[in-house]
Amino acid sequence: MTQTTADEERIVPPASKRALLHRMTMPWWTLLFPLLGVGAVLMSLYKMGTPGLIAAAVILMGCVLAAVHHAEVVAHRVGEPFGTLVLAVAVTVIEVSLIVSLMLSDAGDASTLARDTVFAAIMIILNGIVGLCLLAGGLRYGEQRFSLRGASASLNVLVAMVVLSLVLPNYVSSAPGPTYAPSQLVFVAIVSLILYGTFVFVQTGRHREMFLPADEDLPADAHTTVPSGSDTLVALGLLLVALVGVVLLAKGLSAKVEEAILGAGLPLAIVGVIIAGLVLAPESLAAYRAAKRNRLQTSLNLALGSALATIGLTIPSVAMVSLALDLPLALGIGPKEMTVLVLSLFVITLSLGTGRTTLLGGAVHLVIFAAYLFITVVP
């Protein structure tokens, strides 16, 4: 027994064991906040006056940070690009639930709520998240590299789905207004699912190498010991709990925010921006932290993958609910929003068109994002 112990000590020194244990042990707050989030939802904490609203907002931010931590644990275990799909798909599925629940409620104009929320999510991803990541990475590392083929493939699918879902409804004649006829809505929903499914197949299987960072670009901590299977399962479960807390707390707080917005005479579309921002907060933080660690490929996988999932999963789900319950659904965006959308797609194509980025591209995207927020508040 003594000889075995001595051999183990030579292979894995005690200091390394302690460091590994410290890395793999989950911080206490990542376990606490998801549970507090569920408790706050069950207690309707946000209905308990101003102190309850403040406490709910603090718990919401804690759930966001916990979700980021657990997502990184899962991503480290499964590797790229599967890891970045975990957070993107989980957030999008819960986002669909949130949009559908609001469509079934009396919150504002249900026919435009889904469109406003999806469009806000696209703007946040293309300009807010991408801009922040490019700026943060450019400030720290000067110039960052990524897989040009992977980014081009993502943008190719994204442009097609965005135009079919948010632009084309304005120009069809089978239904009045910015809406699709039922048969057209079914067709677009099916096409969106096919495009997204094909993209996932390409990203995770047939051409997986297009979405992987080059070995020479990996940071020093890229090859640290991966989490165990039990740690990963616990992290995955807590990730889902934290995301549920984020979305349900955001929904509860959004009612109060909606009252304040309507009372101030501001456009109701701001509610969609706030909801999308809160739901995408975990992905935003995860992408930002990856860019700060010189993992721009991971940041772009998260951002562009989330944009594709937002269209490829949200639109078909919302369309199905709309058709099943005979709810009105206006998908076409207005001329103002269309201008910002075209500008965003054009600029991101230029920003990611060389395989190298600097802080200049990030600054441009953030300016466009600021312009989008401004014209939403001051239409």
Side-chain angles (χ1 to χ4, degrees), residues 42-56:
L42 295 176
M43 295 172 54
S44 298
L45 187 61
Y46 37 79
K47 295 182 179 179
M48 299 181 180
T50 302
L53 283 174
I54 296 175

Side-chain angles (χ1 to χ4, degrees), residues 22-62:
H22 177 73
R23 287 199 305 269
M24 299 313 301
T25 301
M26 297 180 185
W28 63 269
W29 58 269
T30 65
L31 304 174
L32 177 63
F33 274 108
L35 301 179
L36 288 178
V38 174
V41 171
L42 295 176
M43 295 172 54
S44 298
L45 187 61
Y46 37 79
K47 295 182 179 179
M48 299 181 180
T50 302
L53 283 174
I54 296 175
V58 172
I59 294 175
L60 174 62
M61 292 299 102

Side-chain angles (χ1 to χ4, degrees), residues 1-338:
M1 179 67 68
T2 304
Q3 181 63 35
T4 302
T5 303
D7 292 339
E8 291 177 349
E9 296 293 349
R10 285 195 297 269
I11 297 173
V12 184
S16 299
K17 286 183 177 180
R18 288 193 297 270
L20 179 61
L21 180 62
H22 177 73
R23 287 199 305 269
M24 299 313 301
T25 301
M26 297 180 185
W28 63 269
W29 58 269
T30 65
L31 304 174
L32 177 63
F33 274 108
L35 301 179
L36 288 178
V38 174
V41 171
L42 295 176
M43 295 172 54
S44 298
L45 187 61
Y46 37 79
K47 295 182 179 179
M48 299 181 180
T50 302
L53 283 174
I54 296 175
V58 172
I59 294 175
L60 174 62
M61 292 299 102
C63 287
V64 168
L65 296 174
V68 172
H69 175 85
H70 295 306
E72 289 182 339
V73 172
V74 175
H76 195 186
R77 171 70 181 186
V78 301
E80 288 293 335
F82 298 95
T84 54
L85 285 174
V86 173
L87 188 57
V89 173
V91 168
T92 304
V93 169
I94 298 178
E95 180 186 11
V96 169
S97 302
L98 176 59
I99 292 176
V100 169
S101 65
L102 291 176
M103 287 178 64
L104 297 175
S105 69
D106 297 325
D109 186 359
S111 66
T112 62
L113 181 60
R115 177 199 66 191
D116 292 339
T117 304
V118 170
F119 180 67
I122 295 298
M123 289 295 101
I124 291 172
I125 293 168
L126 291 185
N127 294 310
I129 298 178
V130 171
L132 184 62
C133 291
L134 297 188
L135 183 65
L139 286 173
R140 173 164 291 191
Y141 301 103
E143 186 178 79
Q144 291 182 293
R145 294 184 292 174
F146 61 93
S147 171
L148 178 59
R149 293 192 300 160
S152 298
S154 302
L155 291 176
N156 186 24
V157 179
L158 179 62
V159 171
M161 289 202 298
V162 166
V163 171
L164 289 174
S165 300
L166 300 179
V167 177
L168 188 58
N170 292 314
Y171 301 103
V172 296
S173 58
S174 298
T179 60
Y180 274 131
S183 59
Q184 295 171 331
L185 191 58
V186 171
F187 174 79
V188 170
I190 293 174
V191 168
S192 297
L193 281 175
I194 291 175
L195 285 174
Y196 183 69
T198 305
F199 171 79
V200 171
F201 172 72
V202 169
Q203 186 186 37
T204 60
R206 189 135 192 144
H207 299 286
R208 181 170 176 262
E209 71 283 353
M210 293 167 50
F211 302 89
L212 297 176
D215 290 339
E216 61 269 18
D217 294 335
L218 290 176
D221 63 342
H223 300 291
T224 54
T225 305
V226 298
S228 65
S230 58
D231 286 336
T232 304
L233 289 177
V234 172
L236 180 60
L238 289 172
L239 168 63
L240 297 177
V241 173
L243 289 174
V244 169
V246 169
V247 172
L248 294 182
L249 283 174
K251 179 182 177 182
L253 292 172
S254 68
K256 302 295 182 182
V257 173
E258 180 183 346
E259 293 177 4
I261 289 174
L262 293 177
L266 296 174
L268 195 59
I270 297 176
V271 176
V273 176
I274 295 174
I275 293 174
L278 290 174
V279 172
L280 290 172
E283 290 177 297
S284 303
L285 287 176
Y288 171 75
R289 291 175 63 174
K292 292 278 285 186
R293 295 173 182 171
N294 203 22
R295 294 177 178 176
L296 184 61
Q297 184 65 54
T298 298
S299 296
L300 293 179
N301 286 347
L302 269 171
L304 298 180
S306 300
L308 291 169
T310 296
I311 298 289
L313 297 179
T314 301
I315 294 299
S317 301
V318 170
M320 181 174 60
V321 172
S322 173
L323 293 173
L325 302 180
D326 196 24
L327 296 175
L329 181 62
L331 289 178
I333 56 178
K336 176 184 62 178
E337 292 79 11
M338 198 179 305

